[in-house]
């Protein structure tokens, strides 16, 4: 059986956020069951380019796979490959830019379901790029959002993004000039940027705020300050071991004794209801996502199965 090459256009026609949330919820439930093995991201450099690789074995799906992508100053290119667990044969090679955007948003949706107050209505969003787009879509599918303020460094881009997302999510989205105003008086705050320094003063956060912090997966980048971490009553990671390697938001605060890895929980523990994502309405809760390969493999398997059903993709010569 030939492996299938599935293009970005095919992925966009086959997958959406609703499906992605269901797939991702299942991933974290299966991680808790012990039927998933993740290998953290590795990076190698050459002049002008960086290669990032990560892999996982999703035993419950009978597939193993990897995600690999290159980043340069001009662009990023993403691929996911999946292999049959029994035969070891490649089943699909998938263009995975949109796939990655969906799975990152879906992970925040799962965290939000367990960690944000049920009556959350107002969102502060940092970032106006592709990740910010799927983050907001995911949250609007998880809570009945009524108003969103968005901030990014380029106000023109921010305003255009606000107009597009108002229509896409059927909710009022307004561009904001002030980072602190964007974070203040919000039920949910989303950070989806490439910032290297904290975006806002943690003192402005209301009691009861839930944060999804997803932009940084490198030790040199931080989206939130020490105050935000100090104020967080519950801190949850998509994967604590991978955050120890990549979560710049936590590394210095841990070194300074502001928080401790032992106080944090994996999202899988929350989904399996072994730990509580929120105990009271006034708690500040924080979800940190760096992205794990098990999500990509699960999404890739579903795309492959949909592609077979729809007759999409191109056979590879092996």
């Amino acid at each position: 059986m030939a492996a299938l090459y599935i293009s970005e256009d095919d992925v966009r026609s086959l997958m959406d956020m609703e499906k992605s949330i269901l797939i991702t919820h299942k991933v974290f439930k299966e991680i808790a069951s012990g039927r998933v093995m993740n290998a953290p991201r590795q990076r190698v450099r050459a002049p002008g380019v960086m290669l990032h690789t990560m892999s996982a074995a999703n035993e419950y799906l009978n597939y193993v796979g990897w995600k690999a992508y290159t980043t340069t100053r001009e662009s990023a290119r993403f691929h996911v490959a999946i292999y049959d667990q029994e035969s070891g044969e490649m089943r699909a090679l998938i263009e995975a830019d949109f796939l990655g955007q969906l799975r990152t948003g879906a992970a925040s949706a799962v965290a939000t379901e367990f960690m944000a107050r049920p009556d959350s209505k107002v969102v502060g969003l940092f970032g106006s790029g592709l990740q910010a787009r799927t983050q907001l879509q995911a949250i609007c599918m998880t809570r009945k959002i009524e108003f969103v303020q968005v901030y990014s460094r380029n106000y023109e881009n921010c305003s255009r993004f606000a107009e597009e997302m108002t229509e896409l999510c059927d909710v009022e989205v307004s561009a904001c000039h002030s980072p602190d105003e964007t974070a203040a008086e919000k039920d949910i705050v989303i950070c989806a940027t490439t910032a290297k320094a904290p975006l806002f003063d943690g003192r402005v956060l209301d009691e009861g705020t839930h944060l999804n912090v997803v932009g940084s997966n490198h030790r040199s980048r931080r989206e939130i300050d020490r105050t935000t971490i100090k104020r967080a009553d519950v801190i949850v990671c998509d994967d604590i071991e991978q955050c120890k390697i990549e979560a710049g938001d936590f590394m210095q605060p841990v070194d300074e004794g502001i928080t401790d890895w032992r106080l944090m929980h994996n999202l899988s523990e929350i989904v399996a209801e072994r730990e509580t994502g929120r105990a009271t309405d006034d708690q500040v809760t924080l979800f940190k996502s760096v992205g794990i390969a098990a999500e990509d493999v699960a999404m890739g398997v579903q795309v492959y199965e949909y592609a077979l059903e729809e007759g999409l993709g191109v056979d590879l010569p092996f």
Side-chain angles (χ1 to χ4, degrees):
M1 183 176 181
L4 202 61
Y5 189 85
I6 303 172
S7 72
E8 188 76 8
D9 287 342
D10 289 340
V11 173
R12 289 179 179 273
S13 72
L14 294 168
M15 288 297 292
D16 59 28
M17 184 56 73
E18 186 175 3
K19 296 172 185 174
S20 301
I21 293 171
L22 293 174
I23 293 165
T24 304
H25 183 278
K26 177 70 171 175
V27 167
F28 284 100
K29 192 169 184 179
E30 292 295 342
I31 290 173
S33 78
R35 296 202 294 166
V36 174
M37 179 180 178
N38 269 297
R41 192 178 351 250
Q42 298 289 319
R43 293 180 168 96
V44 293
R45 295 176 181 269
V49 66
M50 184 180 292
L51 173 65
H52 317 248
T53 57
M54 51 207 292
S55 60
N58 292 36
E59 181 184 336
Y60 70 100
L61 292 172
N62 295 312
Y63 281 91
V64 301
W66 49 258
K67 179 179 184 177
Y69 59 103
T70 56
T71 51
T72 66
R73 289 189 177 183
E74 289 77 30
S75 64
R77 293 174 173 84
F78 301 83
H79 289 88
V80 166
I82 58 168
Y83 300 78
D84 182 272
Q85 183 174 297
E86 294 183 6
S87 68
E89 295 178 346
M90 180 185 284
R91 292 296 183 224
L93 180 61
I94 305 162
E95 294 182 358
D97 188 1
F98 184 57
L99 203 68
Q101 296 164 34
L102 285 174
R103 67 87 147 122
T104 307
S108 291
V110 174
T112 298
E113 180 62 36
F114 286 88
M115 299 179 70
R117 298 193 324 270
D119 62 350
S120 295
K121 297 176 182 177
V122 184
V123 172
L125 171 62
F126 290 87
S128 57
L130 296 174
Q131 290 288 358
R133 184 183 182 92
T134 48
Q135 286 290 315
L136 187 55
Q137 284 181 282
I139 299 318
C140 287
M141 289 185 174
T142 309
R143 291 291 186 267
K144 294 181 179 179
I145 304 303
E146 296 180 355
F147 178 66
V148 180
Q149 274 190 314
V150 57
Y151 172 85
S152 70
R153 290 174 296 178
N154 186 316
Y155 188 75
E156 183 179 344
N157 288 347
C158 190
S159 297
R160 188 182 308 115
F161 176 89
E163 291 179 8
E164 292 174 357
M165 297 307 290
T166 294
E167 182 174 352
L168 183 63
C169 295
D170 193 25
V171 63
E172 183 183 354
V173 182
S174 175
C176 184
H177 287 283
S178 166
D180 284 354
E181 182 182 339
T182 301
E185 299 180 341
K186 300 299 187 296
D187 302 315
I188 299 171
V189 172
I190 304 166
C191 301
T193 75
T194 57
K196 292 185 177 180
L199 297 163
F200 59 88
D201 186 336
R203 291 176 295 183
V204 305
L205 293 169
D206 272 8
E207 290 186 350
T209 299
H210 170 65
L211 298 99
N212 292 318
V213 182
V214 308
S216 163
N217 60 13
H218 197 277
R219 62 178 58 243
S220 67
R221 294 179 179 174
R222 296 175 62 195
E223 295 184 289
I224 53 175
D225 62 7
R226 295 171 179 83
T227 303
T228 298
I229 293 171
K230 283 181 181 178
R231 295 194 58 195
D233 300 288
V234 180
I235 299 178
V236 173
C237 301
D238 54 359
D239 185 87
I240 293 172
E241 293 306 311
Q242 193 159 325
C243 280
K244 288 179 180 179
I245 302 169
E246 299 184 331
D249 294 290
F250 293 156
M251 289 179 179
Q252 190 172 347
V254 168
D255 289 342
E256 295 172 353
I258 291 170
T259 188
D260 192 291
W261 299 112
R262 292 171 295 181
L263 301 175
M264 303 179 192
H265 305 293
N266 282 314
L267 182 56
S268 58
E269 298 175 282
I270 306 299
V271 172
E273 299 183 351
R274 296 173 186 168
E275 300 289 346
T276 301
R278 171 178 293 274
T280 63
D281 283 348
D282 62 351
Q283 285 187 320
V284 173
T285 58
L286 168 59
F287 172 60
K288 175 60 188 172
S289 173
V290 292
I292 58 175
E295 299 167 300
D296 298 296
V297 172
M299 293 281 283
V301 170
Q302 189 63 76
V303 165
Y304 171 61
E305 292 178 353
Y306 285 149
L308 290 178
E309 291 174 6
E310 299 295 327
L312 297 176
V314 177
D315 285 345
L316 291 168
F318 57 85

